[in-house]
């Protein structure tokens, strides 16, 4: 474990403290916990009052340079300290984050060879931290091949924009100026652009301004590199890269030897003359901070409620090859009904009729037909044929006859009773006669599925105003499962389509 108080030199301790103070100042506000942490760091590093004053004389470039030579273990300890400074107020500002990432890139062995910090003063031009510019000293074919490729350019710009940075790539900027400001019928004229420039900037050289087309053709990234160095007061030789990205990290103030306070600006330069996409995306990845906050609204809340012990869910209803009713989205919950075959038959009958349901009058007429003396003799006959009886029912062309026909077809599938005997019709009569009790048995069964959402729509209901029994559950939620486990939507099943409504 690296003991920073013993293994860092006095200059390196001051450099560390300088960066820590810059991180605290980066968001333009100082938290009480940040002051406490700086006090503790000052004591840990043994930085006296005189040494503390010295941090205002050194630039960020000098501070990072002083720490580059420490070993890997101490670098990790230094970065851990700086991470704690950024996180102490539980509010990581983008400016703090950019500064920390810049320092990390310049210190870590995986990136220190292609990243550097430049500190400069006496700048008389605007510098924005939201823009990252590509500049080059000489032609960089590998870089331009990437940036001029439509898809690679979109990938990189989108990645940078996701962390709040807009890429300024001069060739594309000029192309956009031509597209927006040059009339289609006169490509050599930029009257609109020229007039707008006259309004927003000093005119300067009117001859150059008069022929913007020629001027735009003559400017390239190499020329713009010199423009930037001139306006930002950077000596060209201080930047060791031939093709690089540059972004402003922070504004600062330094004390000169004569006690004057001068404004300083710090830039991060990233060499992308090689491995363009890998280096840009590595930079972006470091800027993307993981925030361990849990959203509890909208779809997040629905997910958490479902995962919780109190979760309720709308479930599909599956009828397997044994005739069991199961709720597959509730761990295949088995629905248990009293008088099961009869209760299930009534349920499927009403499900087939849908929201329109079956009127009580229709049930009464069906029951009256089944209870008359003629049918009683049929039921007692040894030559009873359920198929012939069903054909007889269809000949009536009435709702009550269709009800009996449908109920027989359903009960044949769900019960173990022999439909070849006349006594079979007795069970059909009982289903119709005891429909109110069967309704309660069904609703009790569904009610025991405590985690079933909107359980009411699964129930058998009775509309008193229209005197109608109905089930409002959508058939789209009901499936038939065969012995092999294959499930078919009930609306597509052969038995379902044999029912007549």
């Amino acid at each position: 474990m690296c003991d920073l108080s013993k293994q860092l030199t006095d200059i390196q301790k001051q450099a560390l403290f300088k960066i820590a103070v810059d991180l605290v100042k980066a968001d333009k506000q100082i938290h009480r916990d940040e002051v406490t942490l700086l006090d503790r760091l000052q004591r840990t590093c043994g930085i006296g009052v005189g040494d503390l004053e010295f941090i205002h004389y050194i630039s960020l470039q000098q501070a990072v340079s002083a720490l580059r030579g420490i070993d890997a273990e101490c670098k990790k300890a230094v970065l851990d300290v700086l991470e704690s400074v950024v996180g102490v107020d539980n509010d990581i500002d983008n400016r703090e984050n950019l500064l920390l990432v810049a320092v990390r890139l310049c210190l870590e062995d995986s990136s220190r060879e292609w990243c550097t910090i430049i500190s400069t003063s006496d700048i008389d031009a605007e510098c924005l931290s939201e823009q990252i510019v590509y500049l080059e000293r000489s032609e960089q074919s590998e870089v331009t091949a990437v940036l001029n490729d439509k898809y690679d350019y979109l990938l990189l710009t989108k990645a940078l924009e996701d962390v709040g940075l807009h890429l300024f790539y001069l060739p594309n900027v000029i192309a956009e100026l031509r597209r927006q400001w040059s009339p289609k019928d006169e490509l050599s004229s930029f009257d609109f652009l020229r007039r707008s420039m006259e309004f927003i900037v000093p005119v300067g050289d009117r001859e150059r301004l008069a022929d913007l087309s020629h001027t735009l053709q003559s400017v390239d990234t190499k020329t713009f590199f010199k423009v930037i160095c001139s306006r930002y007061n950077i000596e060209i030789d201080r930047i060791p890269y031939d093709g690089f990205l540059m972004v402003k990290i922070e504004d600062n103030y330094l004390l000169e030897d004569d006690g004057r306070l001068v404004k300083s600006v710090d830039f991060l330069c990233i060499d992308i003359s090689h491995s363009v996409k890998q280096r840009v995306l590595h930079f972006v990845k470091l800027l993307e901070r993981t925030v361990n906050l849990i959203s509890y609204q909208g779809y997040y809340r629905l997910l958490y409620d479902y995962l919780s012990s109190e979760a309720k869910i709308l479930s599909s209803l599956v009828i397997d090859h044994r005739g069991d009713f199961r709720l597959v989205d509730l761990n295949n919950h088995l629905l248990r009904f009293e008088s099961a075959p009869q209760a299930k038959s009534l349920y499927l009958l009403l499900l087939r009729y849908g929201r329109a349901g079956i009127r009580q009058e229709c049930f009464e007429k069906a029951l009256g037909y089944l209870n008359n003396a003629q049918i009683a003799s049929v039921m007692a006959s040894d030559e009873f044929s359920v198929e012939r009886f069903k054909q007889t029912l269809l000949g009536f062309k009435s709702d009550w006859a269709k009800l009996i026909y449908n109920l027989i077809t359903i009960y044949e599938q769900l019960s173990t009773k022999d439909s070849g005997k006349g006594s079979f019709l007795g069970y059909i009569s009982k289903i119709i006669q005891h429909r109110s009790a069967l309704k309660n048995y069904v609703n009790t069964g569904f009610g025991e599925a405590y985690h079933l959402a909107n359980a009411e729509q699964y129930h058998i209901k009775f509309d008193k105003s229209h005197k109608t029994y109905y089930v409002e559950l959508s058939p789209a939620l009901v499936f038939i499962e065969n012995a092999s486990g294959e499930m078919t939507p009930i609306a597509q099943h052969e038995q379902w389509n044999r029912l007549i409504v």
Side-chain angles (χ1 to χ4, degrees):
M1 183 70 179
C2 176
D3 185 344
L4 295 178
S5 64
K6 295 179 179 179
Q7 297 190 38
L8 295 186
T9 65
D10 289 343
I11 293 295
Q12 290 168 343
K13 292 175 186 177
Q14 292 162 355
L16 170 59
F17 201 75
K18 149 75 179 177
I19 298 172
V21 170
D22 281 1
L23 284 169
V24 168
K25 296 188 301 182
D27 61 358
K28 309 301 180 185
Q29 56 185 356
I30 298 179
H31 192 274
R32 176 181 296 180
D33 291 342
E34 291 175 327
V35 175
T36 301
L37 189 148
L38 289 177
D39 282 338
R40 187 165 63 248
L41 180 60
Q42 183 181 358
R43 291 193 301 271
T44 299
C45 291
I47 298 175
V49 176
D51 293 329
L52 182 61
E53 183 72 13
F54 182 73
I55 70 169
H56 300 296
Y57 287 89
I58 59 175
S59 67
L60 180 63
Q61 179 181 354
Q62 292 169 325
V64 171
S65 179
L67 293 171
R68 275 181 178 259
I70 62 179
D71 62 37
E73 188 178 5
C74 283
K75 280 182 186 176
K76 183 181 183 308
V78 163
L79 292 170
D80 287 345
V81 168
L82 298 179
E83 281 278 1
S84 66
V85 172
V86 169
V88 69
D89 61 355
N90 296 313
D91 182 18
I92 301 174
D93 183 86
N94 287 340
R95 291 163 292 190
E96 292 175 310
N97 194 26
L98 179 58
L99 174 55
L100 179 61
V101 167
V103 173
R104 180 179 294 280
L105 285 169
C106 292
L107 292 185
E108 290 186 334
D109 291 341
S110 60
S111 53
R112 55 178 295 190
E113 296 302 322
W114 46 272
C115 292
T116 192
I117 290 174
I118 301 292
S119 299
T120 184
S121 56
D122 296 330
I123 292 181
D124 64 351
E126 183 181 45
C127 304
L128 294 178
S129 295
E130 296 80 16
Q131 294 179 350
I132 184 166
V133 61
Y134 172 69
L135 301 169
E136 61 186 17
R137 189 194 309 270
S138 59
E139 295 286 345
Q140 300 296 307
S141 58
E142 182 178 337
V143 181
T144 54
V146 172
L147 296 182
N148 291 336
D149 181 271
K150 179 171 62 176
Y151 298 105
D152 285 341
Y153 182 78
L154 181 63
L155 167 72
L156 296 181
T157 53
K158 175 65 169 60
L160 289 166
E161 286 171 1
D162 285 346
V163 292
L165 295 175
H166 175 73
L167 176 60
F168 187 99
Y169 178 50
L170 187 66
N172 284 1
V173 172
I174 292 175
E176 183 65 14
L177 290 174
R178 288 186 179 279
R179 187 185 69 80
Q180 289 191 7
W181 295 96
S182 177
K184 293 180 180 178
D185 59 345
E186 193 180 348
L187 292 177
S188 62
S189 173
F190 283 84
D191 287 342
F192 293 128
L193 178 58
R194 177 177 56 79
R195 288 293 293 153
S196 67
M197 289 176 62
E198 288 178 340
F199 291 135
I200 60 178
V201 296
V203 172
D205 189 337
R206 286 190 175 275
E207 290 186 7
R208 287 173 57 82
L209 191 60
D211 190 4
L212 278 178
S213 179
H214 175 75
T215 304
L216 286 171
Q217 288 176 356
S218 65
V219 66
D220 57 19
T221 47
K222 296 185 293 298
T223 304
F224 200 58
F225 170 48
K226 295 174 184 175
V227 171
I228 295 298
C229 286
S230 299
R231 295 299 301 274
Y232 287 175
N233 197 27
I234 301 173
E235 295 177 10
I236 288 178
D237 291 342
R238 291 179 62 194
I239 301 177
Y241 312 130
D242 291 325
F244 62 98
L245 292 171
M246 187 169 80
V247 59
K248 188 187 88 168
I249 305 170
E250 61 173 345
D251 294 314
N252 230 318
Y253 286 94
L254 297 177
L255 280 173
E256 295 284 359
D257 290 340
D258 58 6
R260 287 186 304 111
L261 197 64
V262 297
K263 183 179 179 180
S264 172
V265 179
D266 304 312
F267 296 94
L268 171 66
C269 296
I270 303 173
D271 177 15
I272 59 169
S273 57
H274 303 288
S275 307
V276 182
K277 288 186 284 188
Q278 293 90 329
R279 291 180 180 182
V280 174
L281 295 177
H282 180 74
F283 169 58
V284 167
K285 184 177 180 181
L286 290 179
L287 283 173
E288 293 174 337
R289 301 194 68 87
T290 300
V291 180
N292 295 318
L293 298 176
I294 296 178
S295 175
Y296 190 60
Q297 59 183 344
Y299 295 114
Y300 291 94
R301 178 168 182 167
L302 297 181
L303 173 62
Y304 303 145
D305 286 348
Y306 171 65
L307 296 175
S308 76
S309 60
E310 296 302 315
K312 291 193 174 185
I313 187 172
L314 190 70
S315 176
S316 294
L317 172 63
V318 169
I319 304 163
D320 64 23
H321 67 285
R322 294 181 298 271
D324 289 333
F325 281 29
R326 293 184 287 107
L327 296 171
V328 292
D329 299 297
L330 289 178
N331 295 319
N332 273 328
H333 174 85
L334 177 64
L335 292 165
R336 300 184 184 279
F337 305 126
E338 191 173 341
S339 299
Q342 293 92 336
K344 293 173 183 176
S345 296
L346 177 64
Y347 189 82
L348 289 178
L349 177 72
L350 292 172
L351 183 69
R352 183 66 179 89
Y353 281 76
R355 186 63 180 80
I358 302 175
R359 292 177 62 84
Q360 182 165 283
E361 180 185 10
C362 187
F363 277 115
E364 295 295 345
K365 287 182 178 180
L367 185 61
Y369 174 76
L370 290 174
N371 288 344
N372 68 30
Q374 183 181 0
I375 298 303
S377 64
V378 170
M379 291 170 61
S381 172
D382 293 334
E383 298 179 358
F384 173 77
S385 169
V386 72
E387 290 302 322
R388 284 201 305 269
F389 184 76
K390 287 164 67 175
Q391 291 302 314
T392 300
L393 290 169
L394 293 178
F396 287 107
K397 300 185 185 301
S398 63
D399 290 340
W400 61 263
K402 291 178 184 177
L403 185 157
I404 298 172
Y405 172 91
N406 290 333
L407 197 50
I408 290 173
T409 302
I410 294 170
Y411 195 65
E412 282 181 299
Q413 298 298 316
L414 291 178
S415 77
T416 58
K417 306 302 180 183
D418 185 358
S419 62
K421 294 181 179 180
S423 59
F424 182 81
L425 295 182
Y427 298 105
I428 304 300
S429 296
K430 290 179 180 178
I431 293 173
I432 297 174
Q433 181 180 357
H434 301 297
R435 59 189 178 276
S436 181
L438 295 175
K439 164 182 170 291
N440 293 332
Y441 296 157
V442 167
N443 294 349
T444 299
F446 278 107
E448 291 174 351
Y450 301 114
H451 292 160
L452 181 63
N454 301 323
E456 282 288 313
Q457 69 174 290
Y458 293 80
H459 289 183
I460 295 176
K461 298 178 182 177
F462 181 71
D463 185 338
K464 292 182 180 179
S465 60
H466 295 91
K467 298 188 183 314
T468 301
Y469 291 87
Y470 67 96
V471 171
E472 64 180 357
L473 182 69
S474 169
L477 284 171
V478 185
F479 296 83
I480 304 294
E481 182 184 64
N482 63 22
S484 301
E486 297 174 340
M487 289 196 294
T488 304
I490 195 170
Q492 298 175 17
H493 199 271
E494 178 187 1
Q495 296 296 332
W496 181 261
N497 290 314
R498 285 172 56 189
L499 304 180
I500 302 171
V501 177

